[in-house]
């Protein structure tokens, strides 16, 4: 037959006996004054005396040693650890491949060098290479590869065959122990970068440009399109085949089905893509405190695939400018902001 033992009760009785002995010693063989014994869920036993003459109202607390002891030591965040780890390390770009066409491979390596604060090479250091791996609708996705520096403190990365157009960067940074949002944002700002440029393989296609300019009153300008002309000139710098076309009513009504029907009827299969859109006012021309002219405009456009009638690229953006005259203002906006932005999106996006 087994006997059931209440171990918890025995533990408290043992502690109480120890406390009783303690007070007996303190009181020089006098009897233990009136006292109160309490316990709490954290396994503490507290004895409080009421006889201030003998024990001065002493309070004794015994804590179960099995309970964890809280530490006042502050933890260091992953970001602070990463900053401490990398603060004396310099990463430099050493070699950059030339721009290539979509569907090709880079003819050389992306190479970075790592040195310490004394300009000495850092060997066997883990770094991460982040590089574009895919692009769709103008959004670039990235892949990573972890490498170790060699005896010269360098790492070299060979990019795979690139099947998409892209204008971005290959980044190199010290591999973090933990990658949280703060560390990722810090790396995004501080990583060493080398340009990663892959232009479209549509350079043999013929493009047509039809951007409809509007007056400040919101009326379409039918006599000419200075914005189309600026885009055409910019496309020439990329060695693209391009010409102007006018589709006033179709673009003004935002009727892409009718636009495709009429353009297909006119061009047949002679062009590959139609760049169409609008330049409208958001704020009229004003004169600022410096006596210069200012304006705020919006550009919206699409690049239509003439095989399907679908837009394969679309965007809308606002532009502002300031110049000494209204003519210079609009000429600068068209040639220095609008045309480069649209043409680069096409050249590195199709």
């Amino acid at each position: 037959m087994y006997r059931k033992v209440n171990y918890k009760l025995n533990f408290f009785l043992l502690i109480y006996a120890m406390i009783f002995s303690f007070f007996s010693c303190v009181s020089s063989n006098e009897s233990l004054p009136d006292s109160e014994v309490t316990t709490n869920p954290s396994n503490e036993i507290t004895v409080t005396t009421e006889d201030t003459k003998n024990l001065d109202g002493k309070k004794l607390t015994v804590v179960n040693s099995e309970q964890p002891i809280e530490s006042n030591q502050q933890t260091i965040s992953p970001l602070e650890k990463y900053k401490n780890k990398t603060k004396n390390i310099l990463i430099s770009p050493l070699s950059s491949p030339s721009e290539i066409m979509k569907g090709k491979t880079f003819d050389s390596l992306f190479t970075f060098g790592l040195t310490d604060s004394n300009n000495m090479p850092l060997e066997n250091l883990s770094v991460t290479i982040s590089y574009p791996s895919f692009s769709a609708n103008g959004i670039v996705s990235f892949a990573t590869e972890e490498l170790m520096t060699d005896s010269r403190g360098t790492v070299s990365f060979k990019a795979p065959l690139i099947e998409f157009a892209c204008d971005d960067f290959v980044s190199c940074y010290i591999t973090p122990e933990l990658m949280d949002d703060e560390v990722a944002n810090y790396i995004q700002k501080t990583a060493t970068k080398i340009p990663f440029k892959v232009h479209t393989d549509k350079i043999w296609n013929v493009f047509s440009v039809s951007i409809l300019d509007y007056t400040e009153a919101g009326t379409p300008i039918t006599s000419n399109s200075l914005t189309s002309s600026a885009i055409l000139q910019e496309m020439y710098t990329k060695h693209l085949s391009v010409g102007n076309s006018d589709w006033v009513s179709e673009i003004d009504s935002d009727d892409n089905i009718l636009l495709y029907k009429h353009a297909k009827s006119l061009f047949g299969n002679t062009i590959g893509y139609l760049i169409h859109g609008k330049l409208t006012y958001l704020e009229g021309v004003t004169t600022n405190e410096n006596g210069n002219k200012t304006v705020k405009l919006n550009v919206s456009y699409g690049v239509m695939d003439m095989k399907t009638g679908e837009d394969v690229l679309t965007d809308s953006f606002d532009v502002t400018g300031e110049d000494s005259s209204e003519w210079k203002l609009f000429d600068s906006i068209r040639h220095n902001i609008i045309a480069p932005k649209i043409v680069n999106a096409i050249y590195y996006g199709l």
Side-chain angles (χ1 to χ4, degrees):
M1 178 181 295
Y2 294 97
R3 183 174 60 181
K4 185 176 181 181
V5 180
N6 190 331
Y7 290 102
K8 185 172 183 180
L9 177 61
N10 289 344
F11 170 75
F12 287 134
L13 290 174
L14 176 61
I15 295 299
Y16 187 79
M18 293 171 61
I19 296 170
F20 185 87
S21 299
F22 169 78
F23 280 109
S24 297
C25 294
V26 173
S27 59
S28 302
N29 296 324
E30 293 185 19
S31 60
L32 183 68
D34 292 338
S35 61
E36 180 183 356
V37 179
T38 60
T39 64
N40 59 41
S42 61
N43 287 344
E44 293 182 354
I45 300 177
T46 301
V47 178
T48 305
T49 71
E50 297 178 355
D51 188 345
T52 57
K53 177 180 178 181
N54 293 326
L55 295 176
D56 297 325
K58 296 183 184 296
K59 180 179 180 180
L60 176 65
T61 300
V62 179
V63 182
N64 186 350
S65 61
E66 295 181 357
Q67 294 299 309
I69 299 176
E70 294 184 1
S71 173
N72 293 326
Q73 184 178 3
Q74 294 183 349
T75 58
I76 302 176
S77 70
L79 177 59
E80 290 303 315
K81 287 183 179 179
Y82 187 73
K83 286 182 176 180
N84 291 336
K85 178 181 179 180
T86 61
K87 63 182 179 181
N88 293 320
I89 298 175
L90 175 65
I91 305 178
S92 303
L94 298 183
S95 67
S96 174
S98 301
E99 181 175 317
I100 61 170
M101 185 172 69
K102 174 182 173 181
K104 304 290 185 179
T105 56
F106 288 102
D107 57 4
S108 62
L109 304 177
F110 294 84
T111 303
F112 300 85
L114 285 83
T115 55
D116 61 17
S117 56
N118 296 317
N119 202 33
M120 298 299 294
L122 294 171
E123 184 179 0
N124 292 327
L125 191 63
S126 175
V127 300
T128 298
I129 302 295
S130 173
Y131 62 95
S133 60
F134 183 71
S135 180
N137 299 321
I139 300 175
V140 180
S141 300
F142 292 82
T144 58
E145 184 172 325
E146 190 172 331
L147 301 173
M148 301 295 291
T149 57
D150 59 20
S151 59
R152 298 172 298 172
T154 65
V155 289
S156 294
F157 168 72
K158 180 175 177 57
L161 176 69
I162 309 301
E163 297 288 359
F164 55 91
C166 177
D167 182 11
D168 218 289
F169 296 92
V170 169
S171 301
C172 178
Y173 54 90
I174 303 300
T175 304
E177 296 178 5
L178 176 64
M179 179 72 85
D180 62 8
D181 289 342
E182 285 190 325
V183 175
N185 290 334
Y186 179 76
I187 288 174
Q188 176 65 28
K189 296 175 182 177
T190 60
T192 301
K193 300 178 180 181
I194 293 177
F196 183 101
K197 289 181 176 289
V198 182
H199 64 250
T200 181
D201 59 355
K202 307 297 190 298
I203 56 176
W204 294 286
N205 283 259
V206 178
F207 293 80
S208 182
V209 183
S210 183
I211 302 295
L212 185 59
D213 291 340
Y214 284 76
T215 66
E216 189 171 336
T219 304
I221 299 174
T222 60
S223 57
N224 60 65
S225 176
L226 296 179
T227 304
S228 288
S229 297
I231 293 172
L232 184 143
Q233 293 174 33
E234 184 70 21
M235 294 186 77
Y236 284 155
T237 67
K238 303 293 187 184
H239 307 290
L240 297 172
S241 299
V242 61
N244 272 335
S245 59
D246 294 317
W247 305 102
V248 176
S249 61
E250 295 87 349
I251 293 175
D252 183 49
S253 62
D254 295 315
D255 192 339
N256 277 11
I257 295 176
L258 188 61
L259 173 63
Y260 176 66
K261 179 181 178 181
H262 289 175
K264 191 70 173 178
S265 176
L266 176 65
F267 295 120
N269 296 322
T270 60
I271 69 169
Y273 296 91
L274 174 62
I275 305 166
H276 60 95
K278 299 178 179 180
L279 175 67
T280 57
Y281 284 78
L282 293 176
E283 296 176 7
V285 177
T286 59
T287 303
N288 63 17
E289 64 276 8
N290 298 321
N292 290 330
K293 301 296 183 181
T294 64
V295 72
K296 185 175 183 180
L297 307 169
N298 174 263
V299 182
S300 59
Y301 73 94
V303 180
M304 181 180 290
D305 186 340
M306 292 304 295
K307 291 180 180 178
T308 64
E310 298 294 327
D311 283 343
V312 292
L313 280 178
T314 60
D315 195 11
S316 176
F317 57 92
D318 299 341
V319 291
T320 59
E322 176 182 341
D323 217 310
S324 58
S325 70
E326 186 172 337
W327 185 89
K328 288 182 178 180
L329 172 63
F330 278 87
D331 188 68
S332 176
I333 288 176
R334 287 187 173 103
H335 286 89
N336 298 329
I337 302 177
I338 296 174
K341 185 176 178 67
I342 292 177
V343 173
N344 280 339
I346 294 169
Y347 194 65
Y348 295 109
L350 281 184

